[in-house]
Amino acid sequence: MITIALSKGRIYDETAPLLKSAGIVARDDPERSRKLILRTNRADVRLLIVRATDVPTYVQYGAADLGVAGKDVLDENGGQGLYQPLDLGIARCRMVVAVPAGFDYRRAVRQGARLRVATKYVQTAREHFAAKGVHVDLIKLYGSMELAPLTGLADAIVDLVDTGNTLRANRLKAVEEIAPVSARLIVNQAALKVKRAAIQPLLEAFARAAR
Ligand code: AMP
């Protein structure tokens, strides 16, 4: 049995066509079904529907052989012990620093101000500001980061941006790009050795489809 972990929403929607070109089609739609284990047209392949941040954990411990996870999640939670053979080029976005439209970020940084930064991506933010030599107090949030600068909780946020609509709607602007983000295929290293005959053709099909 080959088990593939992935999250609902954009990752699932954009992985489904890649799976299809590898000959794998889920028997249920995760948006409609409450099932967390989805059977596929192939008796030897199943999908696990887990939280995006849990995908690396399932693959690390071998509860899933393969997974699809955003680079944001892998950078933040550590991709240790995982083989990352492929950038799938899906779920693309950017990790950025954003501030209220009227806030002079460059000046604040130049003056060595201590910035309060709210984010879900504490590790990523810490590394980014440390590399720039900017002093920050990091405030961990679990969602709706855009609210933090509007309520005085923080001066800036670190968050993912795609179209920029969410930032614009909240009168925020991106002032720095930390990294481009896309989803990666991750593989359990032991599974790759033990189940190579079954996994290798899948990796090749993914690589062809992701091009
Ligand atoms: P947008 O309004 O298109 O810039 O999208 C921004 C919102 O969508 C933010 O709340 C982000 O956290 C979220 N978002 C955008 N792209 C992604 C992605 N690839 N993965 C997860 N969340 C994303």
Side-chain angles (χ1 to χ4, degrees):
M1 176 66 76
I2 300 293
T3 303
I4 306 174
L6 68 183
S7 50
K8 273 206 283 201
R10 197 165 162 195
I11 296 242
Y12 183 88
D13 295 346
E14 295 187 26
T15 302
L18 299 180
L19 285 169
K20 192 166 179 210
S21 58
I24 298 166
V25 180
R27 289 204 186 282
D28 292 289
D29 174 357
E31 296 301 337
R32 292 204 197 133
S33 160
R34 287 180 174 270
K35 284 184 194 159
L36 299 174
I37 300 179
L38 305 184
R39 292 193 307 139
T40 70
N41 60 320
R42 274 184 48 178
D44 63 334
V45 179
R46 62 180 186 168
L47 310 180
L48 298 189
I49 302 299
V50 303
R51 290 274 304 238
T53 45
D54 291 336
V55 169
T57 309
Y58 275 84
V59 178
Q60 240 150 25
Y61 286 91
D65 303 302
L66 307 175
V68 179
K71 184 172 181 295
D72 53 323
V73 168
L74 293 168
D75 285 350
E76 184 67 20
N77 304 321
Q80 305 94 329
L82 294 170
Y83 176 48
Q84 293 185 38
L86 205 55
D87 180 350
L88 296 173
I90 58 171
R92 283 181 190 279
C93 56
R94 298 172 296 134
M95 183 73 76
V96 304
V97 181
V99 299
F103 183 81
D104 192 341
Y105 174 73
R106 311 239 168 267
R107 186 153 165 247
V109 167
R110 231 183 6 252
Q111 291 178 338
R114 193 171 185 93
L115 293 177
R116 274 199 301 176
V117 179
T119 186
K120 191 157 88 174
Y121 303 97
V122 172
Q123 197 53 34
T124 302
R126 182 175 294 120
E127 281 169 23
H128 173 70
F129 291 111
K132 284 172 58 83
V134 175
H135 297 290
V136 291
D137 290 319
L138 294 168
I139 301 172
K140 166 91 183 177
L141 290 179
Y142 292 87
S144 301
M145 268 86 84
E146 299 83 10
L147 201 53
L150 306 180
T151 54
L153 178 63
D155 304 304
I157 60 172
V158 166
D159 195 9
L160 296 176
V161 175
D162 180 16
T163 60
N165 287 341
T166 308
L167 288 184
R168 266 190 299 279
N170 292 291
R171 295 188 34 80
L172 300 170
K173 60 180 179 187
V175 286
E176 215 159 63
E177 174 163 328
I178 297 179
V181 168
S182 56
R184 312 291 155 113
L185 188 68
I186 58 176
V187 185
N188 177 278
Q189 288 177 340
L192 186 59
K193 291 200 189 100
V194 177
K195 303 185 186 176
R196 179 147 226 143
I199 291 178
Q200 193 63 36
L202 281 183
L203 296 188
E204 285 163 16
F206 267 109
R208 276 194 302 275
R211 242 184 256 142

